[in-house]
Amino acid sequence: MNRWHVLLGLAALYAGGWGVKAVTLNLRYFKPSEFGASLPLLNPALLEKLDEFRHRLGSRVIISPAPGSLIRPAGDNESQHVYGRAADVMIPDTTLVQAYSVAREVGFTGIGVYPHWKPYKGLHLDVRPDRQPGSPAQWAGLKGPDGKQFYTSVERGLA
């Protein structure tokens, strides 16, 4: 198990104010370098759930290399990425159906499936505070005939 001592710059924001909070994380699979400069801005519960997701999935989980896969600018206020509560991950060695099932088991409160991501299919996983683990926000992002992404039911994305 890897023990990290991290200063989380937004950790106090979740409690209603700004500040810095020292947190110790015990993660089995992920390394701090996989989160880069975004690490201090990420919610500790997200990091712990990502690690548990990787453990239960039993295969590789890659943080998406796309810009904004962890933290996004404040202009996108609807996104959980703005608050450090979301990660976009790629799953090269398993099916979306299996990964979605494991994400639900782990208790993510927001789950999006993206079968068209490159180089591997992926998921948006978040720990939004306004949903419960048994009733997550869920959706699929698919590519339309025009090549543009559109949103639909998670069932359609898993078909």
Side-chain angles (χ1 to χ4, degrees):
M1 186 160 307
N2 301 313
R3 178 172 282 196
W4 311 349
H5 297 285
V6 181
L7 288 177
L8 296 176
L10 288 183
L13 176 62
Y14 306 117
W18 288 94
V20 175
K21 180 179 180 184
V23 174
T24 299
L25 299 170
N26 295 305
L27 303 183
R28 294 168 279 198
Y29 299 100
F30 288 100
K31 299 179 189 93
S33 60
E34 293 179 79
F35 301 101
S38 297
L39 179 60
L41 304 175
L42 297 174
N43 184 303
L46 172 68
L47 296 169
E48 290 167 351
K49 284 188 184 302
L50 285 171
D51 199 60
E52 183 63 18
F53 174 73
R54 166 60 183 88
H55 177 71
R56 291 187 191 191
L57 194 62
S59 62
R60 290 186 298 164
V61 174
I62 301 167
I63 303 299
S64 171
S69 66
L70 293 170
I71 297 293
R72 293 192 186 152
D76 188 3
N77 289 332
E78 295 295 314
S79 174
Q80 297 300 311
H81 291 281
V82 171
Y83 307 104
R85 296 188 293 240
D88 294 335
V89 299
M90 298 186 146
I91 48 164
D93 306 319
T94 189
T95 67
L96 271 177
V97 171
Q98 181 184 8
Y100 169 78
S101 176
V102 170
R104 289 214 39 157
E105 288 173 17
V106 168
F108 285 102
T109 53
I111 305 168
V113 298
Y114 294 86
H116 69 275
W117 280 355
K118 301 292 181 205
Y120 307 108
K121 62 201 167 297
L123 295 109
H124 163 101
L125 301 171
D126 73 52
V127 292
R128 64 187 61 208
D130 61 339
R131 296 300 286 257
Q132 296 300 312
S135 180
Q138 52 189 4
W139 65 92
L142 303 179
K143 267 199 177 165
D146 60 359
K148 293 183 180 178
Q149 183 170 274
F150 69 96
Y151 294 96
T152 187
S153 70
V154 71
E155 293 81 11
R156 188 168 171 198
L158 296 173

